[in-house]
Amino acid sequence: MSRDYPLDKTRNIGIAAHIDAGKTTVTERILFYSGKVHRMGEVHEGSTVMDWMELERERGITITSAATTCYWNDHRINIMDTPGHVDFTVEVERSLRVLDGVIAVFCAVGGVEPQSETVWRQADKYHIPRLAFVNKMDRVGSDFLNVVKMIREKLKANAIPIQLPIGAGEDFTGLVDLVRMKAVTYDNESLGATYSESDIPADLVDSCETAREELLGALADYDEDILHHVVDGSDVSEESIKKALRRAVLDATVVPVLCGTAFRNKGVQHLLDAVVDYLPDPTDVPPVKGVNPFSKKEEERKADSREPFAALVFKVITDPYVGLLHYIRVYSGTAKTGSHVVNASNKKKERIGRVLLMHANKREELPEISAGDIVAIVGLKHSATGDTLCDLKHPLRLEMMDFPEPVISVAIEPKTKADEVKLSEALGRLSDEDPTFVVKVDEDTGQTLISGMGELHLEILVDRMLREFSVGANVGRPQVAFRETITKKARSEGRFIRQSGGRGQYGHVIIELEPNPGNGFEFESRMRGVAVPKQYVRYVENGIRESMASGPVNGCPVVDVKVTLVDGSYHEVDSSDLAFRAAGSRAFYDGVRKAGPVLLEPVMDVEVVLPVEYVGDVMNDLNMRRGKVEGMSQRADTHVISARAPLSDMFGYATTLRSLTQGRAIYSMQFSHYDQVPGERVAQLQGRVRGLA
């Protein structure tokens, strides 16, 4: 595939934003104008190409990231359309891991919203160059410059407009290209497919001149011609601006801001031009680095088909026609259908059965793949999300992906005996697809618990079980994933001694515990001499880790604790691995009881956008839910309440909010941190909650 489009004419990009900013509509217009589809799909009609799942079309939201490929100005563009809802943030995370550039879409009225910030942080994590597209300029209350200001203040980004809108709301007719200093207006009769260029309207000349000078000032560090212009006011060529702007974008120091309205078919072609002009091709990105699983040395692979083959599995889905599909990004080398590769993560050999170029849920078979490609593979047996596929003779394990822990769980059980087998298969398939979906059997109750990132996440998964796997199941009330931790230092001793006539068991350890907020579990050995022989130290740690699964307050997992092994003793004959593991477990459990154990609960960031007349009622309701209002602001003609509230008190909030505001308010909620449960609340919860891993 890459032979027709060399790497310098390939772009691997994602489209990401807060829910309802218009990502899917932008993608649909890109596909239409690039000739990939011949009819525009609409989210409200359930006719979009990218939201192909029945659930996505019914609900009007993107649930799973979809891949497609289109062509523009002699370039091949691989696109990932990602979800905007925080419950599906893993879809964004694993897409960004394999992309070279991102279009961040912002609503011209809402601006930078909570999930916008999450997506931006994820892109920062992978150092991905970005374009910002201010969408919905046709909406009442749209304000392009205010969104630019929000990007700078909230996201701490160097946002520089390269376009200015002509009009706003119903009067939005086009844009001014600040690079070429031309006005662009779109023809409504042709669905925006044709547009005309003209001189800048007289009333916009001054603001466009000012904005262009700001653009040139930001680029002066990247081009000497532009620097001379800033100094002496000479003309700057379009080529110089584009060249400098591309360098600034690749350096991730400048974020060009464009505008338009995808729904009204304005601005999308110029967004595609910007993707080609400014976002990186695979060779612009630094070589990927990984570890040779045998030599343990760090190696790198350049984006070159002549390098050894290396690819990352970033997504697994179940296809009703071909079974498991493994989406991969090829970083280097080539591989043909039927060839063998090795999974460097588990050192198992794999065969590439078929290679598919995906267009949402449609597919096109390819004979081979090479560097820069994003495709799906059929036939892999031992690979999961985050695994590396590589050349048999040149193994390389790329950096694994980190996924957040689930924060909410429900109990699920089959309705009939026949559903039992189906449920087991469905849970296995869905957990293969989604790393944030965790299945566990509660040892005390025997219940099967499913855990995820939010109510909507679990609701969608249960709905998929019914539709895709025909499973009849009863679902319990949601349960929060509580945790336990300690608040002070403590010293503890653990002994495990058994005498049975022959060889006995003997293990004895002394440990110190201390709080380790935000850093998880750490274990250290600081013994002098051989009080506990080295070969037993790791079994002491294993015993402690096992004991962490159930704390003394309410049987929830213990987190954020540092444990130091300081002393102990052993018996030359009776000491064993088992004895020291048991001694470590006893010492830890006893130590946690002495160290001021407390119960922790997940706290959520909540943002409510609503008309001013309902502010009082909504704030009172948040207070009743133990919420703390962090601030208030005005956004166009609405008010925004920013608050933090414990997840356990936010169940059913959507229904309550609709009732309080006559359906005129919207809210978003995402995980913030774990916080201590107040004492009076602990008494109510004890015995009723379980820690759900």
Side-chain angles (χ1 to χ4, degrees):
M1 183 166 65
S2 294
R3 288 174 300 179
D4 299 329
Y5 285 86
L7 286 175
D8 63 346
K9 291 188 178 295
T10 296
R11 302 289 184 271
N12 290 317
I13 67 165
I15 300 181
H18 186 86
I19 192 168
D20 283 339
K23 299 175 303 302
T24 300
T25 305
V26 169
T27 312
E28 293 293 320
R29 298 306 186 263
I30 287 175
L31 296 178
F32 177 76
Y33 294 126
S34 64
K36 186 73 178 183
V37 299
H38 302 290
R39 179 183 180 275
M40 293 181 184
E42 304 291 357
V43 172
H44 62 277
E45 294 176 356
S47 59
T48 59
V49 172
M50 302 306 279
D51 286 350
W52 56 271
M53 288 175 64
E54 187 179 348
L55 279 168
E56 292 178 313
R57 294 184 169 182
E58 283 179 10
R59 293 170 180 258
I61 61 172
T62 302
I63 293 169
T64 180
S65 54
T68 189
T69 300
C70 67
Y71 305 90
W72 184 257
N73 287 355
D74 237 7
H75 285 68
R76 177 185 58 157
I77 304 175
N78 297 321
I79 302 173
M80 299 287 292
D81 177 31
T82 63
H85 198 286
V86 68
D87 282 17
F88 308 107
T89 190
V90 67
E91 288 289 328
V92 184
E93 176 82 21
R94 58 187 177 183
S95 297
L96 292 181
R97 171 68 175 81
V98 298
L99 295 172
D100 301 327
V102 167
I103 299 172
V105 181
F106 299 91
C107 172
V109 179
V112 177
E113 297 172 280
Q115 185 64 1
S116 311
E117 297 182 55
T118 302
V119 168
W120 203 267
R121 284 196 301 269
Q122 289 170 316
D124 282 340
K125 175 180 174 182
Y126 296 116
H127 309 291
I128 301 178
R130 273 147 275 181
L131 300 176
F133 182 67
V134 180
N135 192 29
K136 301 191 177 183
M137 284 300 304
D138 60 314
R139 280 188 57 188
V140 175
S142 60
D143 189 336
F144 175 77
L145 292 179
N146 183 55
V147 177
V148 173
K149 181 182 175 184
M150 292 177 75
I151 294 172
R152 290 171 178 170
E153 292 178 353
K154 287 194 171 186
L155 303 179
K156 304 294 187 276
N158 187 14
I160 304 294
I162 61 171
Q163 296 174 354
L164 286 184
I166 301 175
E170 292 182 359
D171 298 326
F172 178 71
T173 57
L175 53 90
V176 175
D177 183 342
L178 296 175
V179 176
R180 302 174 61 242
M181 290 302 277
K182 290 287 184 181
V184 181
T185 51
Y186 294 84
D187 175 29
N188 292 328
E189 295 297 320
S190 67
L191 298 176
T194 60
Y195 52 86
S196 58
E197 294 185 351
S198 60
D199 292 334
I200 299 170
D203 60 327
L204 291 177
V205 169
D206 288 345
S207 58
C208 289
E209 290 285 358
T210 302
R212 182 178 165 91
E213 288 302 320
E214 182 186 12
L215 169 62
L216 296 178
L219 299 179
D221 292 338
Y222 293 90
D223 191 279
E224 286 189 9
D225 290 344
I226 296 176
L227 179 60
H228 291 153
H229 167 83
V230 172
V231 174
D232 59 27
S234 59
D235 289 336
V236 184
S237 68
E238 178 186 338
E239 289 73 23
S240 293
I241 295 176
K242 285 186 174 180
K243 187 170 69 173
L245 187 53
R246 179 176 174 80
R247 281 207 296 266
V249 172
L250 297 184
D251 203 27
T253 55
V254 168
V255 178
V257 188
L258 302 91
C259 62
T261 165
F263 183 62
R264 300 294 179 193
N265 314 311
K266 294 178 174 69
V268 177
Q269 296 98 317
H270 289 78
L271 176 62
L272 275 168
D273 289 339
V275 168
V276 168
D277 290 338
Y278 307 125
L279 288 183
D281 65 59
T283 62
D284 291 320
V285 179
V288 291
K289 294 182 179 179
V291 176
N292 185 310
F294 298 104
S295 69
K296 306 300 180 185
K297 291 182 179 178
E298 187 176 86
E299 298 178 12
E300 64 178 36
R301 296 283 186 272
K302 296 176 184 175
D304 190 330
S305 59
R306 293 166 296 185
E307 290 263 307
F309 180 76
L312 184 74
V313 178
F314 67 93
K315 180 180 169 76
V316 181
I317 67 167
T318 303
D319 186 283
Y321 302 106
V322 298
L324 280 182
L325 278 178
H326 290 74
Y327 282 74
I328 67 167
R329 159 69 192 266
V330 184
Y331 285 102
S332 64
T334 60
K336 294 184 177 181
T337 300
S339 61
H340 287 87
V341 294
V342 65
N343 182 330
S345 303
N346 57 27
K347 300 176 184 174
K348 291 185 177 179
K349 197 173 178 181
E350 291 274 31
R351 180 180 180 274
I352 297 176
R354 293 161 63 196
V355 176
L356 305 175
L357 177 62
M358 301 302 294
H359 179 49
N361 62 331
K362 297 181 174 60
R363 55 191 72 84
E364 171 192 339
E365 289 211 28
L366 300 171
E368 68 173 359
I369 47 177
S370 62
D373 289 348
I374 294 179
V375 296
I377 289 181
V378 181
L380 301 184
K381 304 293 185 186
H382 312 291
S383 299
T385 300
D387 287 354
T388 305
L389 302 178
C390 53
D391 187 275
L392 292 167
K393 297 179 180 177
H394 302 89
L396 182 76
R397 187 177 68 248
L398 301 175
E399 183 183 355
M400 296 284 286
M401 288 183 270
D402 295 323
F403 299 112
E405 290 289 321
V407 296
I408 183 173
S409 299
V410 296
I412 187 167
E413 59 181 24
K415 287 184 176 179
T416 66
K417 195 72 176 172
D419 288 321
E420 199 169 314
V421 176
K422 290 184 189 174
L423 178 62
S424 177
E425 180 187 352
L427 292 176
R429 289 283 185 89
L430 292 173
S431 60
D432 284 343
E433 288 186 21
D434 187 346
T436 59
F437 176 56
V438 177
V439 181
K440 177 191 174 188
V441 176
D442 188 292
E443 294 179 2
D444 295 336
T445 65
Q447 287 181 306
T448 299
L449 303 173
I450 56 175
S451 308
M453 300 307 295
E455 286 184 274
L456 179 63
H457 186 202
L458 292 182
E459 185 184 325
I460 294 290
L461 288 166
V462 170
D463 210 337
R464 285 187 62 193
M465 286 181 214
L466 178 64
R467 297 182 189 219
E468 296 176 26
F469 300 94
S470 304
V471 176
N474 296 316
V475 181
R477 285 176 53 81
Q479 296 287 317
V480 174
F482 287 86
R483 299 284 185 263
E484 295 180 26
T485 192
I486 60 175
T487 57
K488 60 184 181 182
K489 291 185 177 182
R491 188 179 179 96
S492 175
E493 190 172 5
R495 295 176 184 272
F496 184 77
I497 302 173
R498 291 284 186 275
Q499 295 298 331
S500 54
R503 178 178 174 178
Q505 297 284 351
Y506 184 93
H508 170 223
V509 297
I510 299 174
I511 61 173
E512 290 180 351
L513 298 84
E514 59 185 291
N516 196 26
N519 294 315
F521 171 69
E522 290 183 27
F523 178 82
E524 182 182 357
S525 176
R526 273 210 312 258
M527 288 185 308
R528 294 179 180 176
V530 287
V532 176
K534 277 188 178 180
Q535 69 264 31
Y536 295 131
V537 171
R538 66 189 177 102
Y539 294 102
V540 175
E541 181 181 353
N542 290 345
I544 291 171
R545 287 184 181 275
E546 290 171 7
S547 191
M548 288 176 69
S550 179
V553 180
N554 209 60
C556 304
V558 180
V559 297
D560 293 346
V561 177
K562 181 175 181 180
V563 178
T564 305
L565 177 61
V566 294
D567 206 352
S569 61
Y570 76 105
H571 189 281
E572 289 186 359
V573 176
D574 291 348
S575 286
S576 66
D577 305 345
L578 173 65
F580 275 102
R581 190 169 69 187
S585 178
R586 291 183 176 187
F588 181 79
Y589 192 78
D590 181 57
V592 171
R593 297 174 72 90
K594 296 176 181 177
V598 293
L599 194 63
L600 302 175
E601 62 183 343
V603 175
M604 314 299 285
D605 281 328
V606 183
E607 184 178 275
V608 187
V609 182
L610 72 170
V612 65
E613 59 264 34
Y614 303 111
V615 167
D617 290 340
V618 171
M619 287 180 70
N620 287 337
D621 181 69
L622 284 170
N623 288 332
M624 290 171 60
R625 295 172 183 269
R626 294 191 291 138
K628 295 179 181 177
V629 175
E630 303 275 309
M632 282 190 58
S633 60
Q634 194 160 349
R635 186 180 294 167
D637 56 348
T638 60
H639 277 62
V640 180
I641 300 174
S642 299
R644 283 184 172 167
L647 176 60
S648 58
D649 288 305
M650 293 300 290
F651 293 136
Y653 186 62
T655 304
T656 303
L657 188 63
R658 277 196 296 269
S659 174
L660 288 174
T661 63
Q662 299 179 5
R664 295 174 63 194
I666 58 171
Y667 85 104
S668 60
M669 185 168 68
Q670 60 186 357
F671 173 74
S672 171
H673 64 283
Y674 271 89
D675 204 357
Q676 185 174 336
V677 180
E680 66 277 7
R681 183 72 170 163
V682 174
Q684 298 171 18
L685 292 169
Q686 276 183 328
R688 292 201 296 114
V689 301
R690 302 286 303 165
L692 303 165

